Amino acid sequence: HDNHKQAVELLKPLIQRNDHPWFKLALAKAYEHNNQAKLALETLDNLNQTLPNYLPVCIEYALLLNSQGNYERSLILLKRVLQYQKHPVIYETLAQTYYRKGQIGAALEATSYQYEQEGYLKLAAQQIENAVKQPDLDATAYQRLESRKAALLEQLKREKIN
């Protein structure tokens, strides 16, 4: 606990001299570990406004929002950054957010995108298979997921041929 307090005290003057985002990210983490979530959120919010769509900030901010139970804001942030870049860690964090929110089908679908980005097409298709088995899945979502699964399996088949 004292280390986190020391980190805050060391980082503040460092940020005054050098405005690098990594120092601010470290400060936000130190605040979080020092049970100063409000200061951590303020730091990450300011950093996110300065550097929107910067992946390290986006992920840390979303994780902190999740830890505070602010899933809607986290989802907005993650979906916005997905408009600019597709990266497995975004989908992983999105899946965690949906899971914590109790939306298991959406979590499985996000995980399928993560696996697809990582090149694990068979695992991606399995996640979709699990997602279509979720209760309360509407017909449109079912059709969309089934078509995506078919496309993944077709791609997997083509890769095996080559």
Side-chain angles (χ1 to χ4, degrees):
H1 191 71
D2 285 337
N3 289 341
H4 302 301
K5 284 182 181 177
Q6 283 182 313
V8 168
E9 297 311 314
L10 289 171
L11 285 164
K12 282 181 178 179
L14 188 58
I15 290 169
Q16 297 297 320
R17 292 192 307 270
N18 186 332
D19 202 27
H20 196 279
W22 285 100
F23 296 139
K24 291 180 180 178
L25 271 173
L27 180 63
K29 283 300 268 183
Y31 280 142
E32 181 185 0
H33 289 292
N34 207 27
N35 295 318
Q36 295 176 294
K38 187 177 181 202
L39 288 172
L41 285 169
E42 286 174 15
T43 302
L44 287 169
D45 188 53
N46 290 334
L47 199 48
N48 186 57
Q49 288 177 28
T50 305
L51 299 167
N53 308 316
Y54 182 50
L55 198 53
V57 172
C58 174
I59 298 303
E60 282 301 321
Y61 196 16
L63 291 172
L64 184 58
L65 288 168
N66 286 346
S67 75
Q68 300 297 304
N70 198 339
Y71 307 123
E72 290 305 319
R73 197 163 161 207
S74 178
L75 288 172
I76 290 167
L77 176 70
L78 292 165
K79 287 177 182 178
R80 187 192 74 220
V81 81
L82 275 172
Q83 293 174 359
Y84 299 97
Q85 58 183 315
K86 310 287 187 222
H87 193 282
V89 73
I90 303 168
Y91 290 112
E92 179 183 13
T93 309
L94 190 62
Q96 291 169 5
T97 305
Y98 279 128
Y99 183 78
R100 291 181 77 165
K101 198 172 178 232
Q103 295 179 297
I104 306 306
L108 291 165
E109 185 176 4
T111 301
S112 78
Y113 281 107
Q114 174 194 345
Y115 289 162
E116 182 181 6
Q117 289 286 313
E118 294 171 337
Y120 302 116
L121 301 181
K122 190 173 183 180
L123 287 174
Q126 287 173 347
Q127 292 301 308
I128 293 171
E129 184 63 37
N130 292 333
V132 298
K133 294 177 184 174
Q134 294 301 306
D136 302 327
L137 187 68
D138 66 51
T140 306
Y142 179 84
Q143 187 60 39
R144 178 178 46 77
L145 289 168
E146 281 294 335
S147 85
R148 181 151 177 271
K149 182 178 79 173
L152 282 169
L153 292 174
E154 183 61 35
Q155 184 179 348
L156 192 59
K157 199 184 302 181
R158 281 193 312 269
E159 287 183 8
K160 282 185 179 180
I161 293 170
N162 296 332

